Amino acid sequence: MTIRLRTKMTLLAFLIVMFSVTIVAVVVSWQSVQDFRSELGRRALAIGRTVAQSPLIQQNVGRPGAEKIIQPYVERIRLATNVDYIVVLDMNKKRLSHPVANRIGTIFAGGDEGPAFADNEYTSLAVGVNGEAVRAFVPIKDERGIAQVGVVVVGILTPSLGEVLLEWKSSIYLTMILALFAGAIGAFYLAAHVKQAIFGLEPEEIAALMEEREAILAAINEGIIAIDRENRITLINPAARQILGIAEEELLGRPINEVIPNTALPEVISTGSSQFNQELVFNRKIIVSNRLPIRWREKIIGAVAVFRDKSEVRRLAEELTGVKKFVEALRVQNHENLNKLHTIAGLIQLHRYQEALDYIFRITEQQQEITAFLTRQVKDPAIAGLLLGKMGRAKELNIRFELDRKSELKTLPANLTASDIVLIMGNLLENAMEAVLPCQQEKRWVKCGIKQDQKELILWVADGGPGLVDVDFDRYFQLGYSTKRPEGRGLGLYLIKQQAENAGGKIILRSRPQQGTLFLVKFSYEGVMDGATSARIAD
């Protein structure tokens, strides 16, 4: 894997360096040709001025037989200056001198000579039989320097770009070899650095990992948002968009506070401390979030938040609570049945068969009566099972348990579920039984009921326990607060309050010291109830 990556990097560096050197060589050569042509143009102009200002030229141009005097003179200058040609023209464009003798006396027709006959001095680039040439045109004046009598044309052949490259090939080859050698060394160290930075992975493997990461993030039910040190969003998965109710828009690169106000992710970056089970309200949703700093090489480079909708967390907790209650009910029922079987077995062993039959008929009748009542009055089997299990639990603890025989539950409010009732009644009954356990026998009683009419549903639980001390009753509904010392208490009433608030219910608490406690939880069939979510009455 490492050899493949390094070979690819080296080959890529070779190609890049070779291409770059080639481009540089072409550009430098082209520029050199342009500079060389400019220099040749200046040289040609200087020679042309010298010829044009010669008295011999000025005196003879335009006179009959001038070519016999001008040709030898101009040819000597051409050979001395090493130019390709010097042509002297009269005002009729007749050649009075030329390196090729048979062209003397012919008419010049280069196409670029017009301005020179209007007393202009300049250079031009022309393509002839022998190739490109720089030509300088210099007007010739008479002896007085007033009237123009002719034109001097000086031409110097220029090398082409290919000829320059061919001439410099040795230097170009040497430069390319040195550049390729340097590129190979650079590629080796670059490949080593890249390999270390990407953990020795090939590019296609990195692409595969990115695809796997996207698939994993999309499959996770928890919302995930990450930011960098500038507090800009670098990652957000589909679950986060769904939980937060954010539309399908581009969020990457945006400041986190523009998307989720009051988030603590920037604080996590600044402090470097993790935050667990923190609550945040967003779009009227309560979100439970864990926030952690992202560290790389002992430096904090960002922060990530993993969160869920609290209602979903609560739903799972309620389901777990309901399962536990059912298991407890079965355990109590099994224990009670064992006691009954032992009693029946004892009566049979004592040969008291009639009494055994009477006992069987009595307990069967009681159980059938209770079961029939719950089945008839409480339509939801989970709630009926909870009440039946609590009856058995109370009998096991020697607590008098009374269920209001006027209890009825046919339908539930639209914003309430059977799991909600299981959670509320289960916790209230458990708290009530715990409250009366230390009391004398006459106070060891628990009563409960479910009242329903067309407007509201009322759940109530009363006990004969010691009541609540004279403190702020709202504290009993706070998470973690409990008058019982063991760790992990103080959750039941908190869950009841949260569930009642979510369903628009109202909690009423009545308590008298040494006379017991009454909890009422009301839910409306017509929507959220008026008044405070929770209330208390202490007499």
Side-chain angles (χ1 to χ4, degrees), residues 22 35 52 99 117 187 250 280 336 358 363 443 446 470 491 508:
T22 303
D35 294 341
F117 287 91
E250 184 57 45
L280 173 69
E336 184 178 358
D358 293 341
I363 61 176
K443 291 183 174 294
V446 172
D470 188 16
L491 181 62
I508 298 176

Side-chain angles (χ1 to χ4, degrees), residues 26-319:
V26 172
V27 172
V28 170
S29 300
W30 181 83
Q31 187 62 45
S32 298
V33 170
Q34 300 305 312
D35 294 341
F36 187 53
R37 286 173 177 173
S38 298
E39 179 61 30
L40 290 179
R42 289 190 291 270
R43 179 186 170 194
L45 277 175
I47 297 172
R49 291 180 188 131
T50 301
V51 174
Q53 294 173 4
S54 170
L56 186 144
I57 299 297
Q58 293 176 343
Q59 293 172 3
N60 291 284
V61 173
R63 293 182 180 180
E67 60 271 16
K68 294 180 180 181
I69 299 173
I70 293 175
Q71 170 66 12
Y73 175 75
V74 171
E75 191 64 15
R76 288 194 299 269
I77 295 176
R78 185 185 72 82
L79 295 175
T81 56
N82 195 29
V83 296
D84 293 288
Y85 56 86
I86 299 176
V87 179
V88 178
L89 306 174
D90 61 14
M91 294 303 290
N92 296 320
K93 300 184 182 181
K94 177 183 176 181
R95 294 185 177 96
L96 303 178
S97 68
H98 197 281
V100 181
N102 59 6
R103 292 190 179 183
I104 298 173
T106 60
I107 301 301
F108 184 87
D112 54 351
E113 70 279 3
F117 287 91
D119 200 14
N120 291 304
E121 179 182 283
Y122 59 92
T123 61
S124 69
L125 185 65
V127 179
V129 178
N130 296 326
E132 289 184 341
V134 174
R135 298 197 297 197
F137 293 84
V138 180
I140 303 172
K141 301 294 184 66
D142 59 12
E143 294 177 302
R144 294 175 299 173
I146 298 175
Q148 182 179 354
V149 295
V151 174
V152 176
V153 182
V154 180
I156 304 175
L157 292 176
T158 61
S160 64
L161 180 59
E163 292 172 340
V164 173
L165 292 175
L166 186 61
E167 182 181 354
W168 291 357
K169 63 180 181 179
S170 299
S171 300
I172 294 175
Y173 290 160
L174 178 60
T175 303
M176 292 184 67
I177 291 173
L178 293 176
L180 291 175
F181 179 72
I185 295 176
F188 178 83
Y189 285 104
L190 177 63
H193 176 73
V194 171
K195 179 183 75 70
Q196 182 181 7
I198 62 177
F199 305 101
L201 298 175
E202 293 289 334
E204 56 270 19
E205 293 175 325
I206 297 176
L209 287 177
M210 289 296 295
E211 292 177 357
E212 290 177 6
R213 189 196 74 156
E214 294 299 324
I216 292 172
L217 290 176
I220 294 176
N221 291 329
E222 287 80 7
I224 300 175
I225 294 181
I227 63 172
D228 57 17
R229 287 196 61 84
E230 283 71 39
N231 299 333
R232 297 187 178 276
I233 297 175
T234 58
L235 182 148
I236 179 168
N237 70 335
R241 291 178 180 271
Q242 181 180 1
I243 293 172
L244 300 176
I246 300 176
E248 290 294 333
E249 58 182 282
E250 184 57 45
L251 299 178
L252 298 182
R254 291 181 55 185
I256 184 66
N257 288 331
E258 291 184 4
V259 181
I260 308 177
N262 304 322
T263 181
L265 280 177
E267 179 184 342
V268 171
I269 294 178
S270 60
T271 62
S273 301
S274 302
Q275 300 179 2
F276 298 98
N277 298 323
Q278 300 296 311
E279 293 186 3
L280 173 69
V281 178
F282 184 81
N283 284 347
R284 294 187 296 179
K285 288 184 179 180
I286 301 178
I287 298 169
V288 181
S289 173
N290 295 330
R291 310 174 187 118
L292 302 92
I294 302 174
R295 288 184 169 87
W296 186 70
R297 295 184 177 178
E298 306 302 325
K299 293 183 180 179
I300 297 177
I301 61 173
V304 61
V306 181
F307 53 90
R308 295 195 70 173
D309 188 342
K310 188 175 181 180
S311 60
E312 179 69 14
V313 177
R314 186 184 298 115
R315 185 185 65 80
L316 295 175
E318 292 164 4
E319 289 181 1

Side-chain angles (χ1 to χ4, degrees), residues 427-486:
N427 279 288
L428 289 178
L429 289 171
E430 194 66 28
N431 288 344
M433 286 189 286
E434 287 186 6
V436 301
L437 274 178
C439 298
Q440 297 179 357
Q441 186 60 43
E442 64 271 13
K443 291 183 174 294
R444 293 168 66 98
W445 57 265
V446 172
K447 299 178 181 180
C448 70
I450 301 175
K451 181 181 178 181
Q452 182 183 40
D453 57 29
Q454 294 181 349
K455 293 184 177 180
E456 65 181 4
L457 170 68
I458 300 176
L459 312 175
W460 64 270
V461 175
D463 65 73
L468 303 178
V469 295
D470 188 16
V471 296
D472 183 5
F473 285 0
D474 288 338
R475 295 177 59 187
Y476 288 94
F477 295 97
Q478 295 177 1
L479 179 62
Y481 179 80
S482 175
T483 57
K484 308 174 184 68
R485 296 302 179 189

